[in-house]
Amino acid sequence: MAKIAFILLTHKDPDGIIKQAERLTATGDYVAIHFDARAKAADYARIRDALDSNPSVAFARKRLKCGWGEWSLVGATLEAVKAAVEAFPDATHFYMLSGDCMQIKTAEYAHEFLEREDVDYIESFDFFASDWIKTGIKEERLIYRHWFNERGRKWLFYKSMELQRALGLARRVPEDIQMMIGSQWWCLRRRTVEWVLDFCRERPDVMRFFRTTWIPDETFFQTIVRHVVPEREIRTRTLTFLMFTDYGMPVTFYNDHYDLLLAQDFLFARKISPDAAELKARLGLLWGERGVAFPRSNEGRALFTFLSGRGRIGRRFAPRFWETESSLGRGRQLFILVCKKWHVAKRLVDQIRARTDLPAVEYLFNEEGGLPDLGGIERTVEKRNRHRRALLRMLYDHFKDERLILCLDPAAFDLMQDFTGDKAEARILEIECDFTDDYLIGHAQRVGLAGAETPREVIDQLLPTIRYDLKFESDRIRDAEFPKFERIRQSASVEANGAALARFLGIDEGLAREIMATDYLFVD
């Protein structure tokens, strides 16, 4: 049976540490604690007094003064690991935690999960080939020696790097290791931990190298584990659920995130707000429960991206620039059907194709395929968006027509602005559909905001946001006051919708009514 030794790195909140250690050891697991040497001596004494008598708790023999981005964080981890290996010979797994982490599953679930596969869980991506580092310096973390902390001594940090660059003092990564990178929150088997400690003793050259790298807690274990363990025995993921904002800061969880956290396919989560007393209490009780079934919808990151992303489309930042290549062509006409329910727009396009000679393409900026060979520009959605005007010019030429119907999602507001600002005549027809709760739930599942097992409480919180988001997209289009704009509604009569379609396409109103009389047009 799996028995976990938790490697607990802490620097504050002694009462929280005591509760965390007592909770984790109450189910038969272990805890090895490193408490930052920078912290108050009285706080450390309180922790020792409370936990020294607990045989399932060990303390790092050497306490280090830890600094963000420094080797000291790895050194502190190794000290706690050594204490755990020595004190708990029957521990099968070693799980890295911080004082801000809390369990989001039961101990019973965690043990069963770890017993399923004889593997290690650690993010381990190629340092140079992956895009794991989004901002800031990259190879400079390794090839230059870092003696100063960027946060506390910024001028010296960058000045020393500039000086090394000027003097040609860049160094090589040790030749026999592949540099990897990933989250510092891992769970390793006992055999792997012992191999890592053996490596540390046998390779002082590698240890010297890492001691002066920048942010080694994201590279040291990630690299060494990959060096000593076969790739087939590594799952390149963390078992601790964490997210980061656009600004590189960890997302903090609060009282109303309980159901969301339990639905994620992880064992622990960080960071839990120190003010989230209710959440901490509920999660604290969870660890010792038995027979709990957990729905695993795992939509947390997609949901956060969706909710925080509302600010990126004109509510918080200025609109992004769209491409400014040459015109679609003066005298050409572009008919834009805008509809959130893509199947409705596609059915309308089919009816227009069947009754007119107007060429049409559907959601070409959202879906792959569906276009003729245009020399490669049509192969990916990314290429189509990057060369949008060139793509449309080629379609006009392909169809040998000066008219073209195009379907757009209401979220593609920048495309509408771009095309209506062109020398060509662009017309917009918004198709306003009704949205039931069942449809919105299906929509959330299709785009990854929810899963089949997402708790109803999460769905109920999500639905108003999705409904408001759809309303915002529609309101934004109307507020733009595009010069040639029409709207048809699912709730309107065939006559009213036919008149709007006739004005939009410039066709006979009787023909437009025939098209709008299609009985299955708005069926979900």
Side-chain angles (χ1 to χ4, degrees), residues 10-11 34-40 44 63-67:
T10 61
H11 66 283
H34 179 279
F35 193 69
D36 196 335
R38 296 183 190 274
K40 296 179 181 178
Y44 183 59
R63 292 171 57 211
L64 305 180
K65 294 182 178 180
C66 297

Side-chain angles (χ1 to χ4, degrees), residues 7 16 22 25 41 52 64 77 170 181 197 263 286 312 314 327 388 409 430 443 448 451 477 510:
I7 308 302
E22 290 175 340
T25 57
D52 266 343
L64 305 180
T77 304
I181 191 168
L197 293 178
L286 178 67
R312 302 193 198 110
S327 169
R388 59 188 70 164
D409 188 277
E430 182 188 11
H443 172 72
I477 294 169

Side-chain angles (χ1 to χ4, degrees), residues 7 22 55 57 77 109 114 124 149 166 173-174 185 225-226 241 265 279 286-287 291 299 359 365-366 390 445 485 499:
I7 308 302
E22 290 175 340
V57 176
T77 304
Y109 180 98
L114 294 176
S124 183
N149 191 295
V173 174
W185 311 108
V225 169
R226 181 72 68 166
F241 180 58
D265 188 20
L279 176 61
L286 178 67
W287 183 247
E299 79 292 337
F365 294 110
N366 299 96
Q445 292 174 342
F485 177 80

Side-chain angles (χ1 to χ4, degrees), residues 252-359:
T252 301
F253 300 108
Y254 297 92
N255 290 333
D256 56 350
H257 288 131
Y258 181 81
D259 292 311
L260 172 71
L261 291 176
L262 264 60
Q264 306 312 306
D265 188 20
F266 296 85
L267 304 183
F268 284 75
R270 75 178 304 266
K271 304 173 90 172
I272 308 298
S273 170
D275 298 322
E278 180 185 343
L279 176 61
K280 293 169 77 172
R282 295 178 73 183
L283 292 178
L285 293 173
L286 178 67
W287 183 247
E289 294 184 16
R290 301 185 66 83
V292 179
F294 293 95
R296 295 196 304 273
S297 57
N298 215 34
E299 79 292 337
R301 289 194 173 101
L303 180 58
F304 175 77
T305 300
F306 167 72
L307 294 175
S308 61
R310 300 308 88 199
R312 302 193 198 110
I313 52 177
R315 301 183 210 183
R316 185 175 60 183
F317 303 127
R320 74 179 188 183
F321 289 103
W322 45 85
E323 77 175 352
T324 55
E325 58 184 313
S326 59
S327 169
L328 299 179
R330 193 183 300 277
R332 284 176 166 168
Q333 289 182 304
L334 181 64
F335 302 94
I336 303 173
L337 297 182
V338 178
C339 187
K340 198 66 180 182
K341 292 186 176 180
W342 294 3
H343 61 278
V344 174
K346 290 179 180 180
R347 288 172 187 163
L348 183 56
V349 165
D350 287 341
Q351 293 300 315
I352 293 171
R353 282 198 190 107
R355 289 176 166 85
T356 72
D357 60 350
L358 287 168

